[in-house]
Amino acid sequence: MAAQFDRRLRKAAVTTTVAAVAVAALSASQAPHVTADANGRQTTADNVPTADTPAEQSATGNSPYYTDLPPLNSPSPAPTIGTPASRQPSEAGIPATVLDAYKKAESELRRSKPGCNLPWQLLAAIGKVESGQARGGRVSADGTTIGKIIGPQLDGNGFALIKDTDNGAYDGNSAYDNAVGPMQFIPSTWAWAGRDGNGDGKKDPNNIYDAALSAGHYLCRNGWDLSVQADLESAILSYNNSQDYLRTVLSWLEHYRKGTHEIPDGTGTLPVGRSDDPAAGGPDPSP
């Protein structure tokens, strides 16, 4: 009788161990923030990072962004009808001056904040989502955008409510703030986060060298180590507090880490999908 009881205990222990291993394997195979419970059901993890940064202290004021995703990386894609433009190989290219700005910002942050471990590809991912790499690299020789890049006014109508903080100096709006430049800084954040990245003695959010270095310093605050996934995600969410934004930026980060190349300024592809497009599920700005 005792021997039979022992066999039952051993069998139960083996069954429990196998089940635990199976659950762990299932969890590892899921997308980030998806786990499996004891019965193998998918669940959303409780520790999904969120940002505590108020909209008025974030980089962009949670302004709209481009939602296009990276191209598929299949070497021999099957023929399809109506293949999106975002799948074209040119998407991997980054305009020369813009790419130079990202790499110089990474180099400076390695020197000034080595514990941050900022990759230039993160700046490229954010630059892609915020402005399509300065509208495809439409910049002058010193990195200043040809024409200002200004987001919608943050008047609370489908967006955050941020009243004017710069008397319209950067965004031309003396009633409300707008995100400005290739990295889409709101004036109130630029006031403390702005840096001179090209050494001309000015801090201009419309200059890709200044904006990229400023974005790097912004992402490296709070002692974050961007080689740690949780810190990386918290930093991105502080830039724009949206889980969709986080997923989009991480997709481009992974894409650029796999390889990219330099293309001439002004020849980049401008994204088309926007988070504020009602057709894409964004807010409808009409009254």
Side-chain angles (χ1 to χ4, degrees):
M1 185 70 177
Q4 184 179 6
F5 182 69
D6 286 343
R7 285 196 298 274
R8 288 177 179 174
L9 284 177
R10 287 195 295 272
K11 182 178 180 181
V14 170
T15 301
T16 300
T17 301
V18 171
V21 171
V23 167
L26 178 62
S27 298
S29 68
Q30 306 302 327
H33 311 314
V34 177
T35 61
D37 63 16
N39 296 315
R41 293 188 295 264
Q42 292 185 23
T43 61
T44 301
D46 293 331
N47 60 345
V48 175
T50 58
D52 297 325
T53 308
E56 64 272 13
Q57 295 177 18
S58 69
T60 69
N62 298 336
S63 292
Y65 56 91
Y66 287 108
T67 58
D68 294 29
L69 293 174
L72 300 177
N73 290 317
S74 171
S76 301
T80 59
I81 298 175
T83 302
S86 62
R87 296 188 180 186
Q88 297 302 317
S90 63
E91 280 295 309
I94 299 177
T97 299
V98 178
L99 180 60
D100 184 55
Y102 296 150
K103 290 185 175 181
K104 284 185 175 177
E106 178 197 56
S107 178
E108 168 57 25
L109 266 299
R110 280 181 179 175
R111 183 192 65 78
S112 60
K113 295 185 178 180
C116 176
N117 294 304
L118 171 80
W120 67 260
Q121 292 91 340
L122 176 58
L123 297 176
I126 291 176
K128 179 69 174 182
V129 169
E130 293 296 345
S131 69
Q133 311 296 16
R135 293 186 299 210
R138 293 185 65 243
V139 296
S140 62
D142 70 348
T144 301
T145 60
I146 300 173
K148 291 185 177 181
I149 303 174
I150 300 178
Q153 67 176 14
L154 299 173
D155 58 5
N157 185 18
F159 313 112
L161 174 60
I162 304 178
K163 293 186 177 180
D164 175 63
T165 61
D166 66 331
N167 198 29
Y170 291 117
D171 53 21
N173 189 341
S174 59
Y176 300 96
D177 272 350
N178 306 61
V180 178
M183 303 302 276
Q184 288 288 277
F185 276 95
I186 54 174
S188 57
T189 299
W190 184 260
W192 59 265
R195 299 290 195 282
D196 176 12
N198 61 353
D200 65 355
K202 298 184 294 185
K203 302 174 183 179
D204 182 1
N206 300 293
N207 182 280
I208 187 58
Y209 288 100
D210 294 0
L213 182 59
S214 301
H217 276 281
Y218 180 90
L219 293 164
C220 285
R221 71 196 196 290
N222 296 334
W224 283 324
D225 177 355
L226 302 184
S227 66
V228 176
Q229 189 68 19
D231 283 2
L232 171 66
E233 295 184 8
S234 293
I236 295 171
L237 284 168
S238 77
Y239 212 92
N240 189 313
N241 192 16
S242 160
Q243 289 292 326
D244 287 337
Y245 181 87
L246 171 64
R247 286 188 287 269
T248 305
V249 169
L250 288 176
S251 294
W252 282 107
L253 171 59
E254 180 65 18
H255 178 69
Y256 288 135
R257 277 176 165 165
K258 290 178 180 178
T260 186
H261 58 277
E262 178 183 300
I263 60 176
D265 289 344
T267 65
T269 303
L270 188 64
V272 293
R274 292 271 299 184
S275 63
D276 57 341
D277 181 0
D284 186 349
S286 62

